[in-house]
Amino acid sequence: MKKTVFCLFASFAFFSFSYAQTSYTGAVGLGIDLWDDATFVGPSGKYFFSDNHVGQFDLGFEDGGTILTALYSYHDEFSGAAGLRWYAGIGPSIVLIDDFDNVFALRPHAGLDFKVDGVPIVINFDWRPAIVLSDAGDNEAGAFGFGIQYAFD
């Protein structure tokens, strides 16, 4: 998993060196939720309620499980880095596991969001640990999110 996280971060850093525009109101695409022992892949969407306040919804599938995640984030730009934003927030996740009790977790998160200039592509990467609030499941400090999405105005 460490190699996967490194490759995702290196790809994100590579794209962040080009110029970009920061304005978009929403995006839909592919989201990946990387846990220590599971990788959930599925549709992801985000919407800017204002310049800084964002809602995001992820639905991920993995062999024997499904995760539903709804996140609130505060986004802000880096001075002098067009298209690159940092964000932080919190939200719940529900993990539905076959033949096992469902897991309810709180997901604080912090990461980077990059809008590619000239094309409607958004790339984001974040650290999103899971604080398990249900009886089933364990806390997960090493959980990460990655997304590539089509942006719209």
Side-chain angles (χ1 to χ4, degrees):
M1 183 171 130
K2 289 180 184 179
K3 287 182 182 179
T4 303
V5 170
F6 175 76
C7 289
L8 293 173
F9 183 76
S11 298
F12 183 82
F14 172 76
F15 283 114
S16 69
F17 286 111
S18 62
Y19 292 101
Q21 70 183 48
T22 59
S23 90
Y24 68 98
T25 57
V28 293
L30 179 69
I32 302 171
D33 202 344
L34 303 164
W35 293 53
D36 190 35
D37 57 353
T39 301
F40 296 93
V41 179
S44 175
K46 65 181 353 180
Y47 180 76
F48 281 79
F49 298 107
S50 69
D51 287 342
N52 301 101
H53 302 280
V54 179
Q56 179 173 331
F57 180 77
D58 295 332
L59 174 62
F61 302 98
E62 210 257 346
D63 188 30
T66 302
I67 189 169
L68 302 160
T69 303
L71 302 171
Y72 161 78
S73 302
Y74 179 85
H75 283 58
D76 205 357
E77 297 178 353
F78 286 103
S79 178
L84 185 62
R85 298 179 188 212
W86 64 267
Y87 60 89
I90 196 162
S93 280
I94 299 171
V95 184
L96 309 169
I97 304 171
D98 294 345
D99 302 326
F100 191 71
D101 291 331
N102 298 330
V103 177
F104 182 75
L106 195 56
R107 306 290 300 275
H109 61 279
L112 299 172
D113 179 86
F114 179 68
K115 166 68 175 70
V116 179
D117 187 29
V119 292
I121 300 294
V122 176
I123 301 167
N124 49 59
F125 178 78
D126 56 39
W127 173 57
R128 48 170 92 161
I131 302 167
V132 175
L133 303 175
S134 58
D135 292 336
D138 295 320
N139 292 334
E140 179 72 48
F144 298 89
F146 177 75
I148 185 163
Q149 302 161 330
Y150 176 84
F152 53 90
D153 292 332

